[in-house]
Amino acid sequence: MAGASKSSFFYGKKSIREISIMLLKSEKSIYRYLKKLPEYKQEKEKRKKANSQKRKEYQEQWDRQNRTERYHCINGESIKREHDVAARILSRERH
C-alpha cells in the first residue's frame, strides 16, 4: 500500500479518493499515511494553487462567453431600468 499510494499521489497526480478505490482501502487510511510524509504538505499547496489558477481561468472564460452583451450596450435607458429594478427589490416589504 505504501509505495503504490505514494507514487500514485506524487507522480501519478491521483487524488486520495482515486487511490483508495484503486487499492481498496479507506480514504482515511490513505490520508493518514500521506499526511505523515514530509513532502505531502508541499504537494498539497502546489495542487491548491494549480486548482485556484485553473478555476480563475475558467471563470474568466465563462464571463467572456456569457456576459458579453450585458456590458455591450450601456446607455441612460439601461442604467435607469437597472436602477428601477434595484429600487423595487430594495423597497419590498420583508414579512
Side-chain angles (χ1 to χ4, degrees):
M1 175 184 110
S5 59
K6 183 177 179 180
S7 65
S8 294
F9 185 77
F10 292 107
Y11 305 114
K13 303 296 182 193
K14 294 194 181 291
S15 68
I16 292 176
R17 174 170 283 158
E18 292 170 329
I19 296 169
S20 70
I21 292 169
M22 184 176 68
L23 298 178
L24 301 174
K25 299 284 184 181
S26 71
E27 289 179 36
K28 194 172 187 177
S29 65
I30 302 292
Y31 170 73
R32 283 182 183 162
Y33 168 73
L34 290 173
K35 189 177 172 186
K36 292 177 187 175
L37 300 174
E39 57 268 356
Y40 174 74
K41 196 172 191 178
Q42 183 181 4
E43 179 69 20
K44 187 175 176 183
E45 285 299 316
K46 189 166 71 171
R47 288 184 185 198
K48 192 174 185 179
K49 284 181 184 177
N51 285 339
S52 177
Q53 182 63 32
K54 189 176 171 183
R55 175 71 180 154
K56 185 178 179 182
E57 289 170 3
Y58 171 79
Q59 286 176 326
E60 288 172 355
Q61 184 236 354
W62 189 93
D63 283 346
R64 280 193 297 273
Q65 286 179 346
N66 297 304
R67 297 185 181 187
T68 53
E69 68 262 353
R70 180 176 183 183
Y71 301 108
H72 183 68
C73 179
I74 297 177
N75 55 27
E77 187 177 317
S78 65
I79 292 173
K80 183 174 180 354
R81 186 173 51 248
E82 284 190 33
H83 171 74
D84 291 342
V85 169
R88 274 188 257 128
I89 290 170
L90 291 173
S91 65
R92 283 188 194 151
E93 291 186 41
R94 294 184 179 105
H95 294 291

